[in-house]
């Protein structure tokens, strides 16, 4: 069994994502998970959000100017991180700022993990432009691991989206298309492969493709993608293979959703602090 982060000495992780005031998504979901796994987490919010969007009413504040000034202060103070993980990017300008920072970190030998949050169910989210998709592609050029969903992988590679999914060859071609953009390892979530829900990927460490089928749980919570990514990164940094890390992340999310499926208010996400021990099972 690989050593845990606490056994090796706490690793410093920088999380670049949005921050909700109410709800367990994005930074509010990733920090508890990775802290529980023994990592020292720091954050750079891309946007302040009043609450999860599922409630229908919300307020957002983009933080690009704050990010630029913060990065300058951190450079002056010589703050260093052992890994950087990016999530939601608020605008084209911010995407370029984050992309430049990731390139800078990658040149210094820092692993970069990218979750290119842009859309779902065949469509880009409101406000996501083609120019933003193009900038996101440049971030993949320095990504040690990229975790798009099926929709995002299609947009990144210019692959037509089909609601009924793809065959096995199409799944491998999609993964390889993301790799051609420069990402070393790839995990594509929410894929339908020959009628079966699957996570498909490629591990650069083992030079191997993989696909892991799963059964959907009939309950929707915002933030499950952020939890998945956090658990995945945590196990990867402990030394597990990408396939092993993906399988553990899938089991963790599945168990968390099942445990909380009867919660009255699912819009706020999964109350992680009450069930973090699931990660250790």
């Amino acid at each position: 069994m690989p050593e845990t982060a606490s056994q090796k000495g706490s690793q410093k992780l920088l999380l670049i994502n949005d921050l909700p005031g109410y709800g367990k998504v994005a930074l509010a979901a990733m920090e508890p998970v990775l802290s529980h796994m023994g990592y020292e987490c720091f954050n750079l919010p891309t946007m302040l959000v009043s609450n999860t969007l599922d409630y229908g009413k919300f307020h957002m504040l983009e933080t690009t100017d704050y990010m630029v000034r913060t990065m300058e202060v951190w450079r002056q103070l010589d703050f260093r991180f052992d890994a950087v993980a990016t999530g939601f990017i608020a605008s084209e300008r911010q995407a370029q700022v984050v992309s430049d920072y990731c390139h800078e970190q990658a040149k210094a030998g820092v692993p970069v993990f990218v979750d290119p949050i842009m859309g779902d169910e065949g469509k880009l989210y409101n406000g996501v432009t083609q120019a933003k998709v193009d900038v996101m592609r440049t971030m993949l050029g320095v990504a040690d691991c990229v975790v798009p969903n099926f929709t995002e992988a299609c947009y990144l590679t210019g692959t037509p989206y089909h609601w009924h999914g793809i065959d096995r060859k199409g799944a491998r071609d999609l993964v390889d298309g993301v790799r051609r953009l420069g990402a070393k390892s790839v995990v594509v979530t929410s894929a339908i492969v020959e009628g079966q829900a699957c996570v498909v990927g490629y591990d650069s460490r083992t030079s191997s493709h993989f696909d892991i089928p799963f059964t959907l749980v009939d309950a929707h919570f915002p933030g499950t993608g952020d939890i998945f990514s956090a658990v995945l990164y945590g196990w990867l940094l402990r030394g597990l293979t990408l396939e092993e890390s993906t399988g553990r992340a899938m089991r963790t999310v599945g168990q968390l959703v099942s445990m909380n499926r009867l919660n009255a208010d699912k819009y706020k996400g999964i109350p992680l602090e009450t069930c973090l021990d699931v990660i250790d099972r």
Side-chain angles (χ1 to χ4, degrees):
M1 175 69 70
E3 292 180 318
T4 65
S6 59
Q7 289 171 328
K8 291 189 283 188
S10 183
Q11 296 183 60
K12 296 180 179 180
L13 307 189
L14 174 61
L15 308 177
I16 303 176
N17 210 337
D18 61 292
L19 178 63
Y22 189 93
K24 295 298 177 181
V25 301
L27 289 174
M30 298 185 75
E31 284 203 44
V33 168
L34 287 161
S35 295
H36 176 82
M37 295 182 77
Y39 296 97
E40 188 176 2
C41 296
F42 301 87
N43 66 71
L44 189 59
T46 58
M47 178 176 283
L48 303 181
V49 187
S50 59
N51 46 266
T52 61
L53 309 189
D54 300 69
Y55 288 103
K57 294 181 179 180
F58 49 85
H59 176 67
M60 296 179 171
L61 176 65
E62 184 178 338
T63 59
T64 305
D65 289 339
Y66 162 81
M67 293 174 68
V68 170
R69 293 180 184 130
T70 296
M71 289 173 179
E72 276 304 313
V73 171
W74 286 358
R75 290 185 186 101
Q76 293 168 18
L77 294 171
D78 198 27
F79 288 165
R80 299 173 185 268
F81 306 100
D82 297 302
V84 174
T86 73
F88 179 76
I89 306 296
S91 65
E92 293 171 24
R93 177 184 170 226
Q94 190 178 94
Q96 190 62 61
V97 168
V98 175
S99 177
D100 291 346
Y101 184 77
C102 287
H103 278 76
E104 177 185 310
Q105 293 299 302
K107 286 180 180 178
V110 177
V112 175
F113 304 124
V114 176
D115 183 354
I117 300 171
M118 298 185 296
D120 202 1
E121 298 180 344
K123 300 177 181 178
L124 294 174
Y125 295 133
N126 288 338
V128 178
T129 64
Q130 185 58 50
K132 186 173 174 182
V133 175
D134 293 341
V135 176
M136 192 64 72
R137 288 194 184 107
T138 70
M139 289 178 60
L140 268 58
V142 296
D144 288 81
C145 183
V146 60
V147 189
N149 63 28
F150 179 51
T151 296
E152 292 155 350
C154 287
Y155 271 97
L156 287 167
T157 59
T159 302
Y161 173 92
H162 299 291
W163 65 268
H164 53 77
I166 49 182
D167 59 19
R168 290 192 178 279
K169 181 181 182 303
R172 178 167 291 201
D173 289 344
L174 184 65
V175 168
D176 288 344
V178 177
R179 289 175 58 209
R180 281 193 290 274
L181 295 172
K184 296 182 180 70
S185 294
V186 179
V187 175
V188 178
T189 64
S190 306
I192 303 296
V193 181
E194 298 182 359
Q196 171 66 59
C198 279
V199 174
V200 297
Y202 175 84
D203 187 346
S204 62
R205 294 186 198 171
T206 61
S207 302
S208 59
H209 289 81
F210 62 87
D211 59 89
I212 307 175
F214 65 92
T215 301
L216 290 169
V217 179
D218 189 20
H220 170 73
F221 289 90
T224 52
D226 301 302
I227 297 169
F228 175 89
S229 295
V231 176
L232 173 68
Y233 303 155
W235 286 113
L236 271 179
L237 290 168
R238 288 189 182 184
L240 270 63
T241 68
L242 185 60
E243 183 172 1
E244 291 170 330
S245 300
T246 299
R248 291 198 181 206
M250 292 170 68
R251 287 194 297 275
T252 296
V253 171
Q255 290 171 357
L256 287 171
V257 172
S258 295
M259 289 170 58
N260 291 278
R261 68 187 183 282
L262 300 180
N263 291 7
D265 183 3
K266 296 182 178 62
Y267 290 169
K268 66 181 178 183
I270 292 172
L272 284 164
E273 288 81 358
T274 67
C275 44
L276 286 170
D277 61 308
V278 170
I279 300 169
D280 307 318
R281 297 177 187 173

